[in-house]
Amino acid sequence: MHMIEELRSLKNQLLFDGSFEHGTFKNIVIAGMGGSGIAGSIFAELYHKHPVCTLSDYSVPAYVDSDTLFIAISYSGNTEETISAYREAEMRGARMVAITSGGELEKMCKSTVKIPSGLQPRSALGYMLSPIVRSMVDDGSTQLKEAASVVKAVDEDTSSLRGIAESMVASERIPIILGYSPYSSVAYRWQTQFNENAKILAFSSSFPELDHNQIVALGKSYGLNKFQFFVFGGSTGRVRDRIQFTLDLAGIEAIEIPMAGKSPVARTMHFVHTGDYISYFAALSRKVEPADVAIIEELKRLLAGI
Amino acid sequence: MHMIEELRSLKNQLLFDGSFEHGTFKNIVIAGMGGSGIAGSIFAELYHKHPVCTLSDYSVPAYVDSDTLFIAISYSGNTEETISAYREAEMRGARMVAITSGGELEKMCKSTVKIPSGLQPRSALGYMLSPIVRSMVDDGSTQLKEAASVVKAVDEDTSSLRGIAESMVASERIPIILGYSPYSSVAYRWQTQFNENAKILAFSSSFPELDHNQIVALGKSYGLNKFQFFVFGGSTGRVRDRIQFTLDLAGIEAIEIPMAGKSPVARTMHFVHTGDYISYFAALSRKVEPADVAIIEELKRLLAGI
């Protein structure tokens, strides 16, 4: 599937009706790397009923036991870090769930939500996130429906997003995304989509934390004109004031990305999808193939000793 | 106190004998921003007996209750986000601990570890971290003693660190620190120290996660020659292979920061202190005052409507 079709499939992915039984538990650990891991990070900002730890490593913390709901997310089902963490968690007696399109993980886990294969992992975020939201968030199905609707609206007019990308690439600026809680993981998603789709460095940070350190550099660093700043709109109260004052004091011009939607899931996915398109158009502007991540495949071969 | 004296005080801060009683609990939430928050993030990478959530925001998650050990860290004791989160957690019946040199927080909390005042918050990391390690980590006091010893060794010969900083500043390169687990929070500490001390932008990421996204940009981005890469040494096994292969495949030259010490706390503080010095020397090279964070004070006045 061409990358543009993958992008346009997000609205339907959010309506995918996969879910899982979770029973009772006292804490949640979600393991996943990169494009799969981001589903866990986004969920952790949406869900607050139990402690949620996201894991992007080979090992699980010592506290993991039969009170833990362990959710392993790997689009391929063969991510070595996630498989390793899965094995450890299973030995500790955790309640195991997997979200995958196949691979080792599907074979290992009795409670697998099987999702469609054939996409780039990072393009399958809707398939990986929606089963968790549907199973764990009150009103999750309703929020996912609204999310599908706001995502569809982004699909219908992308010309301004193309313009933003073309202008940034023409001046070879590196994107810095200034997010705010609970959209810090979306700012990170933008970073990784610029990395993988457009093959450009990108960085993210979030209010209010950045007001305690990065603000100093925003006012006085060298090299500031090499960066393109993005800021997420729709903030309220103290955070809205912080964003306004910070940009004013530092003298930073940032492109504001408007918020859309009413529910947390819809707002999150609207910000996600906007960044997906800008990174895609940045790839086209650079004349690089958005789907190509050959260096990751080369790395896997080296690690496998091939 | 001059910044260089603040840096040299770290070894004694690690021997500060503050601690707290924590009783029984099922999860830990540590609230803190910027230079105070980093103590919580470092602790979360050292401690795995219970779920630890670090919070850099105004509100606490819904799960916080009488099973939660809530640790508020604010050097001044007046950080608005931390005070706000403290109030919420107290109303939920959490077991409350504060680490502060004074301010509102000292007045609010019956179980305060009072630490010496008069430093920049970011220079007081040893005072903020050591009570948590001493109280919560097996063998914590022994590890802190070793940490004081490796930190002292860094103090004794800083000429190579000065050279690294001078060379980076002379070519106006922006630092990118490539950490690895369990030193991801230290890579972030470097980033914030470059921001506040040297007033330059800086960014951090960590292995193995970065091999799933940033690696693509490391191989093909524009603007790569504007950055100075640092990588933490001392990794083993799969992560060591990943670091080597990633730098080779992407063609990135990185300055390797050697590991020192045997215990996790000592290794962590050695990496921390090395970065503290490089950011300090970067400030001197730029002829900016390392202690000056006037823009943060201006922001606080604007937020207070003064």
Side-chain angles (χ1 to χ4, degrees), chain A residues 240-280:
Chain A
R240 184 196 54 209
D241 292 347
R242 283 186 172 276
I243 294 175
Q244 186 60 57
F245 292 149
T246 299
L247 297 178
D248 285 353
L249 282 173
I252 293 288
E253 278 186 40
I255 295 176
E256 183 170 320
I257 304 301
M259 172 179 275
K262 287 183 179 162
S263 66
V265 176
R267 289 174 172 182
T268 296
M269 294 313 298
H270 177 266
F271 282 138
V272 164
H273 208 44
T274 306
D276 289 351
Y277 271 108
I278 295 177
S279 67
Y280 168 75

Side-chain angles (χ1 to χ4, degrees), chain A residues 26-27 32-35 37 47-53 56-58 60-64 79-81 168-176 181-182 188 191-192 194-205 207-224 226-227 229 238-239 241-242 245-246 249-250 286 288 292-296 298-300 302-304, chain B residues 26-27 32-35 37 47-53 56-58 60-64 79-81 168-176 181-182 188 191-192 194-205 207-224 226-227 229 238-239 241-242 245-246 249-250 286 288 292-296 298-300 302-304:
Chain A
K26 291 185 180 152
N27 57 72
M33 306 300 299
Y47 177 89
H48 303 114
K49 284 189 253 175
H50 293 87
V52 181
C53 165
S56 49
D57 207 345
Y58 291 89
V60 304
Y63 69 78
V64 169
T79 311
E80 68 174 33
E81 297 94 323
M168 184 186 81
V169 168
S171 52
E172 297 206 337
R173 273 170 289 162
I174 303 281
I176 296 182
S181 174
Y188 179 69
Q191 169 179 332
T192 60
F194 278 120
N195 292 162
E196 291 191 78
N197 289 339
K199 287 81 167 140
I200 54 181
L201 287 171
F203 306 100
S204 58
S205 52
F207 290 95
E209 169 68 8
L210 77 82
D211 273 343
H212 297 265
N213 32 62
Q214 196 177 41
I215 184 177
V216 182
L218 294 177
K220 292 195 175 173
S221 187
Y222 47 61
L224 283 163
K226 292 161 188 153
F227 295 91
F229 292 91
R238 211 62 172 158
V239 170
D241 292 347
R242 283 186 172 276
F245 292 149
T246 299
L249 282 173
R286 291 195 74 199
V288 296
D292 166 34
V293 289
I295 195 171
I296 296 180
E298 286 174 61
L299 175 66
K300 282 182 192 160
L302 283 173
L303 286 167
Chain B
K26 290 183 181 155
N27 58 72
M33 306 301 298
Y47 178 88
H48 302 113
K49 284 188 251 175
H50 293 87
V52 181
C53 165
S56 50
D57 206 346
Y58 290 89
V60 304
Y63 68 79
V64 169
T79 311
E80 66 173 35
E81 298 94 323
M168 184 185 81
V169 167
S171 52
E172 297 207 336
R173 273 170 288 162
I174 303 280
I176 296 182
S181 173
Y188 178 70
Q191 169 179 331
T192 60
F194 278 120
N195 291 162
E196 290 191 77
N197 289 339
K199 286 81 168 140
I200 53 181
L201 286 170
F203 305 100
S204 58
S205 52
F207 290 96
E209 169 68 8
L210 77 83
D211 274 343
H212 297 265
N213 32 62
Q214 196 176 41
I215 184 177
V216 181
L218 294 177
K220 290 194 174 172
S221 186
Y222 48 60
L224 283 163
K226 293 162 188 152
F227 295 92
F229 292 90
R238 210 63 172 159
V239 170
D241 292 347
R242 283 186 172 276
F245 291 149
T246 299
L249 282 173
R286 290 195 74 198
V288 296
D292 167 34
V293 289
I295 194 170
I296 295 181
E298 286 174 60
L299 175 66
K300 282 182 191 159
L302 283 173
L303 285 167

